[in-house]
């Protein structure tokens, strides 16, 4: 469109629903440290009333057609989305555009939502399984915007003012930062015509958000809490979203702790009964990534559990996986991917992320082909390129102190 807004659609034959997302290429990494949490605060406030609709009216309107309306904020983008029956898509487009273009930012609503967000922060702090991941990211990406919590801190949220939200909205929500994505029961030209009419006066401004990639930091840090378990995250660098090595990274993660048949789930939970919750995951951004292992166990077994994790990481760094194990991981990921295509929510999200990270939409066949091409040697090469002892990071929270870890040798061996 003339003001830079991109409109992407995928018509899904036989789909009854349509999912629409208004994506803003702006997230927590684009905030100053003083205004940490402003993207998330703004996400909350856009649902609190417009010139045309009150907050209760917004909720009643989407409920009246059996739809769902929500939003989320991440490090690199924010998304406002709705899922409705295809015949109600024009209503969803109108509603989402209204909250984005015409929100009034009422001061009373702002103060109420400030209290809600502060409660959200306290809720996260009260959950060790939640806060350990934030501890890890803060330490691993130390001093970089990617290490900031998306919700902000108590101090920054308390200090944010209405004028700062409005200024952030004006600077970062211009047309060149917006993507409208719809998957399901949709006609592309009809959607383009509606978006063009609704956003005809929206400015095309684009805010330069270039920042340097972060450097991973080595650390062993403990946070004593009087709770039953010790929760820990142990992580290493991984490929970013734009590298084809991410396919090898996803396969490695699947075999390590990303499934019920993974090495860590089978060893720590099924064989030894050391943890109820144990898993690994990849977190990938446009210019950086991390592979993270999480587990919660007793204080008497946490050292042993960490050593088992390090042993499995070392195995990946020194030995190619068994061909049958690699083949099974490929089938698992291919199966998950193909099943995800049955959801208009997932198809819409895939459209947007492909546009954000690659500038084009990869076909499902291309995804499967690249996944299938990964070899055991590719996994070895990935670990040799990204994994070093001086990049390991270990965070722990629970009934433990820093002096309790003389036997943990934080190396891959």
């Amino acid at each position: 469109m003339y003001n830079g807004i991109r409109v992407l659609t995928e018509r899904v034959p036989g789909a009854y629903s349509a999912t629409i997302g208004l994506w803003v290429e702006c997230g927590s990494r684009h905030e100053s440290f003083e205004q940490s949490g402003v993207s998330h605060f703004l996400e909350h406030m856009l649902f609190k009333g417009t010139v045309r609709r009150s907050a209760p009216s917004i909720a009643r309107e989407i409920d009246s057609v059996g739809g769902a309306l929500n939003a989320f904020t991440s490090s690199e983008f924010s998304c406002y989305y709705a899922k409705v029956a295809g015949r109600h898509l024009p209503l969803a487009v109108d509603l989402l555009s209204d909250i984005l273009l015409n929100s009034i930012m009422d001061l009373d609503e702002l103060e109420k939502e400030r209290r809600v967000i502060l409660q959200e922060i306290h809720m996260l702090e009260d959950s060790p399984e939640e806060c350990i991941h934030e501890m890890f990211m803060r330490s691993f990406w130390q001093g970089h915007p990617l290490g900031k919590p998306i919700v902000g801190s108590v101090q920054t949220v308390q200090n944010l003012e209405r004028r700062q939200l409005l200024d952030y909205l004006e600077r970062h929500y211009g047309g060149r930062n917006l993507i409208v994505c719809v998957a399901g029961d949709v006609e592309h030209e009809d959607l383009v015509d509606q978006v063009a009419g609704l956003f005809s006066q929206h400015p095309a401004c684009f805010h330069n958000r270039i920042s340097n990639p972060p450097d991973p930091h080595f650390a062993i840090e403990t946070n004593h809490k009087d709770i039953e378990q010790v929760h820990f995250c142990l992580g290493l660098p991984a490929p970013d979203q734009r590298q084809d090595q991410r396919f090898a990274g996803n396969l490695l993660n699947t075999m390590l702790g990303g499934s019920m048949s993974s090495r860590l789930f089978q060893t720590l939970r099924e064989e030894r009964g050391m943890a109820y919750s144990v898993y690994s995951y990849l977190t990938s951004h446009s210019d950086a990534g991390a592979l993270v292992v999480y587990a919660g166990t007793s204080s008497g077994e946490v050292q042993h559990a960490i050593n088992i994790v390090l042993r499995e990481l070392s195995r990946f760094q020194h030995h190619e996986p068994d061909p049958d194990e690699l083949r099974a991981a490929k089938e698992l990921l291919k199966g998950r991917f193909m099943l995800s295509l049955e959801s208009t929510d997932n198809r819409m999200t895939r459209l947007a992320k492909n546009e954000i990270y690659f500038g084009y939409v990869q076909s499902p066949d291309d995804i499967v082909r690249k996944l299938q091409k990964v070899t055991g040697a590719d996994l070895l090469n990935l670990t040799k390129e990204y994994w070093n002892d001086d990049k390991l990071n270990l965070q722990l929270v629970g009934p433990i102190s820093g002096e309790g870890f003389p036997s943990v040798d934080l190396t891959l061996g």
Side-chain angles (χ1 to χ4, degrees), residues 37-336:
V38 63
S39 298
H40 177 256
F41 204 142
L42 185 59
E43 171 209 316
H44 278 240
M45 286 305 301
L46 291 186
F47 289 91
K48 294 304 171 183
T50 73
V51 174
R52 294 167 49 200
R53 295 174 170 98
S54 66
S57 295
I58 292 171
R60 285 195 298 267
E61 199 160 345
I62 195 69
D63 285 349
S64 70
V65 297
L69 178 69
N70 214 328
F72 63 85
T73 303
S74 75
S75 296
E76 298 189 305
F77 43 75
S78 299
C79 176
Y80 303 81
Y81 64 94
K83 184 172 185 177
V84 293
R87 69 181 185 277
H88 296 305
L89 180 59
L91 169 65
V93 177
D94 182 72
L95 199 158
L96 286 172
S97 65
D98 190 28
I99 67 173
L100 198 71
L101 299 174
N102 304 311
S103 287
I104 56 177
M105 302 285 181
D106 179 79
L107 281 172
D108 289 338
E109 291 292 339
L110 188 146
E111 291 307 320
K112 286 191 289 186
E113 210 57 31
R114 190 194 310 276
R115 293 198 296 272
V116 169
I117 295 170
L118 290 173
Q119 289 302 317
E120 183 179 358
I121 293 172
H122 295 319
M123 181 181 68
L124 292 172
E125 292 173 345
D126 284 344
S127 172
E129 186 172 349
E130 294 286 342
C131 73
I132 189 66
H133 301 283
E134 286 197 356
M135 286 174 56
F136 175 84
M137 295 304 168
R138 186 182 298 114
S139 176
F140 195 64
W141 304 130
Q142 187 180 82
H144 191 275
L146 281 176
K148 297 183 303 180
I150 291 170
V151 296
S153 67
V154 169
Q155 180 179 356
T156 59
V157 170
Q158 285 177 334
N159 291 336
L160 284 171
E161 300 177 358
R162 181 176 183 270
R163 61 176 177 79
Q164 294 171 310
L165 297 180
L166 291 172
D167 178 64
Y168 195 80
L169 181 68
E170 181 180 354
R171 287 190 298 118
H172 293 282
Y173 279 52
R176 292 179 184 173
N177 278 1
L178 292 182
I179 307 170
V180 180
C181 289
V182 179
D185 183 13
V186 57
E187 295 293 340
H188 181 80
E189 294 304 325
D190 292 345
L191 178 68
V192 170
D193 289 343
Q194 187 182 9
V195 171
L198 291 168
F199 286 86
S200 60
Q201 303 302 313
H202 195 58
C205 57
F206 178 84
H207 188 73
N208 190 338
R209 304 180 311 277
I210 296 174
S211 61
N212 295 324
D215 291 322
H217 283 75
F218 172 91
I220 303 176
E221 298 173 350
T222 61
N223 181 2
H224 179 82
K225 280 197 173 184
D226 189 16
I227 53 180
E228 290 296 321
Q229 284 189 310
V230 176
H231 301 259
F232 71 85
C233 279
L234 192 157
L236 285 156
D240 63 51
Q241 281 279 11
R242 294 188 167 122
Q243 296 176 293
D244 275 354
Q245 283 177 305
R246 70 188 185 280
F247 293 99
N250 275 287
L251 284 165
L252 193 156
N253 173 64
T254 300
M255 290 182 281
L256 176 65
S259 68
M260 290 180 63
S261 60
S262 65
R263 296 181 184 183
L264 291 179
F265 189 92
Q266 287 297 313
T267 301
L268 289 176
R269 173 168 166 151
E270 299 299 287
E271 295 176 13
R272 300 174 183 267
M274 295 172 64
Y276 171 77
S277 183
V278 52
Y279 54 83
S280 66
Y281 62 93
L282 280 174
T283 177
S284 299
H285 308 288
S286 58
D287 54 4
L291 173 68
V292 186
V293 175
Y294 162 83
T297 187
S298 67
S299 58
E301 294 189 297
V302 64
Q303 293 185 7
H304 190 194
I306 292 169
N307 287 331
I308 289 173
V309 173
L310 291 169
R311 182 193 69 195
E312 292 300 335
L313 292 171
S314 180
R315 282 180 62 197
F316 276 113
Q317 195 170 39
H318 294 93
H319 306 283
E320 292 187 21
D322 180 85
D324 288 339
E325 184 184 18
L326 180 58
R327 189 179 306 112
K330 289 180 180 179
E331 291 303 315
L332 187 153
L333 286 182
K334 286 190 292 184
R336 286 178 177 173

Side-chain angles (χ1 to χ4, degrees), residues 13-30:
Y16 179 76
S17 69
T19 302
I20 174 173
L22 266 59
W23 293 73
V24 187
E25 287 194 76
C26 181
S28 61
R29 76 173 296 177
H30 307 118

